[in-house]
Amino acid sequence: MVISGGPRMPEVMEWGVSSDVAGGPVVDYEHYRAGLPPATLQYHPPIGLFAQESLGFPGRPGISGHRPDGTGWSPRFVRTEERVQPDGVSFVLEDDRAGLQVIAAVVISDGGAITIDAVLTNVGDTPYTLATMAPTLPLPSSATDLLTLSGRWTMEFMMNRRPFQGQMIVENRRGRTSHENAPVVFAGSSAFSEQAGTVWGAQLAWSGNFAVIAEELSDGRKFFQLGELLLPGEVQLAPGEAYDMPQVIATCSSAGLTPATGRFHHYLRNEVRPKPLGPRPVNLNVWEAVYFNHDEGVLMNLADEAAKIGAERFVLDDGWFGSRRDDSKGLGDWYVSPDVWPNGLGPLIERVTGHGMQFGIWFEPEMVNADSDLFRLHPDWTLTTDGYAPVLGRKQLVLDFGRSEVRENIFNQIDAILSAHDISYVKWDMNRVIVQGSGADGRAGVRKHVLGLYELLDQLRLAHPKVEWESCASGGGRIDAGILAHTDRVWTSDSNDARDRQLIQRGASLLIPPELMGAHIGPPTTHTTGRTHSFGFRAATALFGHFGIEWNVLEMTEEERAGMKDVVDLYKTHRNLLHSGQVIRLDHPDSSIVAHGVLAHDGSEGLFSVASIHTRTATSSAPLVIPGLTGTYRVEPLLIGGELPGTDFAPPVWMAEGADRNLFREAKQL
Ligand code: DGJ
């Protein structure tokens, strides 16, 4: 990485990973500086780390805001200090006139990811209202394609590739990370693929509103800019107060998207995660088995059957508390419902733990129903705006976690449940977006809510260090490196449809490694899509994440039960490899083929999946090339439930019997 010196705002001149990106400067702006076209400024304005309107940068300024009288809106910083360390550099930037100071650090982590952190302090003597703070990273002109992840509920993380021309802005204003847009962007040449081409990527570690920009200026220079999207007046810094911007994590590889996102995985695994994870237990979640119909007898039976097939964690979902018999009431009242659990949760938990399984439980702590004791007591605790009828989502409102008294109430309620029971896991759900979310002072409150959420999670983790936490938001509505600093896995999607999951998990794997990605095998016919898939396909799809079961085990046939036991054993045998190795998404010329796998870092073994997600016009497919293999390997099919998944007629000989690589070579030579 090369960053400009001197007294001005630092400019990133080159970035990449020297061992990986061969050749000279990877971003070369010099030739743009050579000449000046008519109708422009008398020089090419710099694209600083925080790009400045005050020097002519024509895009969205890296830092903007204003004083009460409107002044200070276009700062121009000078570098007053710089400290170079082996792994990065930090700066102090000051603008005395605007009364602002920035302390920023750019660091290259062990695995090659680059992080940008910065804090802006109001050193003036009046309040400063901040509008934007977002660093820029330059890109070479050879980056002609953009890749983002977009989607919807049950179809998150779809890869969206488009030409890189002009300005692309992805804004999220939903108050949580969202199903619609992930806070990440990649750029590369039009030929970049999983295994080829130089790829540049950046993501924002933040679980609220954000703006991701990829822009090409009219002089041809290109850049990324990522930052929190601040609502009007949301951040008002009193004299001496500071704004700590969400971290930007950047990556680059000259060998395609797969190694570039491998750097994200390395960073998440080693730097972001709050604690090391042990072997990921097989989760059995009862949501789709019983929904709101909680019955002690049925759930005991479910626990017995779950244990028999080898589940290691039993998660009781929505419906166990307060008046929550459907989705219209009860949120906010986190006490065990005497109506459905007259004996309390104790007997079920004992049954579960008696089988050697962990017990997990669902909460949706940020929410309240109007029909709840909490709302009746504190109708003013919601993130709404006085004088306007609130907009409901799933018949509920969002509590304002920006207020300490709200967090304290929810902490006490959750703490009481966790302290009174042997609970090892919490599924933390968040089922609606935030609309017109003002805090008690009437000002926009999304940022404070997100910070309050992080704070409450940390407080609960401290009080209950043995509990693991799952981030769920109607499936994959809150998946980002921000929330993963406070939780241990995500619920990737409410769709357990194996065909869709192939694509959802592939997209999610651009951001997160498999051990953090909840992947459950559902019933033959998926509840959310109505589509039916074979057991082998469903199992082989769920295997490549943090494996679990979302199926009423009491309804399984004997054959399905036996098959499930096999798959659970298979997962247990391979989970160390699956959750520590290098994730490889394979290129394939046929768009109906989704091929991916995990290769051990020492290359000694790997597990791969090749799925055909729609019928191909050709009966056989092009060979798969797995990068990074050295020496001779034996290729063996994994039997799922005693069968080869997906083969209907006569499988190829190698698939039926296994083969080593030399055999292929010999066969070819013949
Ligand atoms: C949405 C989640 O994604 C589901 O898994 C389930 O927990 C429901 N909420 C419960 O209301």
Side-chain angles (χ1 to χ4, degrees), residues 86-246:
D87 60 348
V89 54
S90 59
F91 318 96
V92 178
L93 309 167
E94 286 174 313
D95 179 343
D96 291 342
R97 202 170 276 257
L100 298 172
Q101 184 205 56
V102 174
I103 299 182
V106 183
V107 173
I108 305 182
S109 70
D110 281 352
I114 294 169
T115 55
I116 307 173
D117 289 277
V119 175
L120 173 92
T121 305
N122 175 12
V123 293
D125 45 22
T126 57
Y128 190 80
T129 303
L130 185 67
T132 332
M133 183 165 184
T136 45
L137 278 165
L139 295 164
S141 45
S142 59
T144 52
D145 272 31
L146 286 174
L147 175 68
T148 52
L149 296 169
S150 52
R152 48 157 279 193
W153 173 72
T154 64
M155 208 57 190
E156 301 88 342
F157 299 109
M158 293 301 107
M159 292 195 206
N160 188 348
R161 193 155 170 170
R162 60 187 106 171
F164 190 164
Q165 278 163 0
Q167 189 185 46
M168 181 213 69
I169 303 185
V170 174
E171 281 192 352
N172 169 42
R173 294 171 176 271
R174 292 171 200 261
R176 61 179 180 189
T177 320
S178 92
H179 297 90
E180 285 73 13
N181 292 299
V184 69
V185 60
F186 298 92
S189 70
S190 57
F192 93 80
S193 69
E194 290 293 349
Q195 270 80 53
T198 302
V199 177
W200 315 82
Q203 61 166 300
L204 190 72
W206 184 240
S207 314
N209 294 330
F210 58 80
V212 171
I213 299 177
E215 188 163 344
E216 177 189 25
L217 297 179
S218 59
D219 61 20
R221 288 178 297 170
K222 294 178 175 176
F223 59 88
F224 287 150
Q225 191 182 45
L226 292 90
E228 182 182 359
L229 187 152
L230 296 174
L231 297 170
E234 188 163 30
V235 171
Q236 212 179 79
L237 301 172
E241 261 184 3
Y243 168 79
D244 192 354
M245 72 166 205

Side-chain angles (χ1 to χ4, degrees), residues 45 66 90 105 107 131 155 193 265 267 283 296 298 412 415 451 594 599 637 643 646:
H66 63 89
S90 59
V107 173
M155 208 57 190
S193 69
H265 293 184
Y267 188 72
N283 272 18
E296 191 188 70
V298 171
N412 289 339
D415 178 60
L451 293 176
V594 180
L599 187 64
E643 287 176 10

Side-chain angles (χ1 to χ4, degrees), residues 244-308:
D244 192 354
M245 72 166 205
Q247 184 177 63
V248 172
I249 309 164
T251 182
C252 174
S253 170
S254 60
L257 188 61
T258 281
T261 59
R263 298 212 153 94
F264 280 162
H265 293 184
H266 188 280
Y267 188 72
L268 269 158
R269 280 174 169 165
N270 297 285
E271 311 283 341
V272 174
R273 294 279 318 114
K275 60 175 185 197
L277 294 165
R280 305 291 63 222
V282 176
N283 272 18
L284 180 132
N285 189 296
V286 303
W287 175 239
E288 291 196 3
V290 298
Y291 291 105
F292 288 106
N293 304 319
H294 284 206
D295 175 279
E296 191 188 70
V298 171
L299 282 152
M300 293 268 204
N301 290 341
L302 269 168
D304 296 344
E305 288 309 314
K308 281 189 209 154

Side-chain angles (χ1 to χ4, degrees), residues 14 66 76 143 168 178 187 229 237 261 267 322 355 366 382 419-420 470 486 530 532 544 553 586 633 649:
E14 292 178 27
H66 63 89
R76 186 184 297 176
M168 181 213 69
S178 92
L229 187 152
L237 301 172
T261 59
Y267 188 72
H355 284 308
E366 293 152 86
T382 55
S419 302
E470 174 180 50
H486 309 273
T532 302
F544 286 85
V553 278
L586 291 163
Y633 288 80
F649 195 54

Side-chain angles (χ1 to χ4, degrees), residues 338-351:
D339 300 338
V340 271
W341 293 99
N343 307 315
L345 290 178
L348 176 66
I349 295 179
E350 272 165 37
R351 187 76 149 248

Side-chain angles (χ1 to χ4, degrees), residues 331-414:
L331 288 173
D333 300 339
W334 302 108
Y335 60 87
V336 181
S337 164
D339 300 338
V340 271
W341 293 99
N343 307 315
L345 290 178
L348 176 66
I349 295 179
E350 272 165 37
R351 187 76 149 248
V352 167
T353 53
H355 284 308
M357 294 187 289
Q358 297 177 7
F359 185 82
I361 196 162
W362 182 95
F363 283 94
E364 195 178 1
E366 293 152 86
M367 298 294 157
V368 69
N369 286 119
D371 191 349
S372 67
D373 297 343
L374 187 75
F375 188 78
R376 279 183 281 274
L377 212 58
H378 300 288
D380 57 331
W381 273 9
T382 55
L383 260 180
T384 45
T385 304
D386 272 355
Y388 297 88
V391 177
L392 293 175
R394 208 193 190 199
K395 307 175 193 97
Q396 62 202 48
L397 293 165
V398 187
L399 288 170
D400 180 7
F401 272 21
R403 300 186 219 181
S404 57
E405 67 274 26
V406 180
R407 292 197 302 273
E408 197 182 313
N409 177 295
I410 300 298
F411 174 89
N412 289 339
Q413 292 200 58
I414 298 178

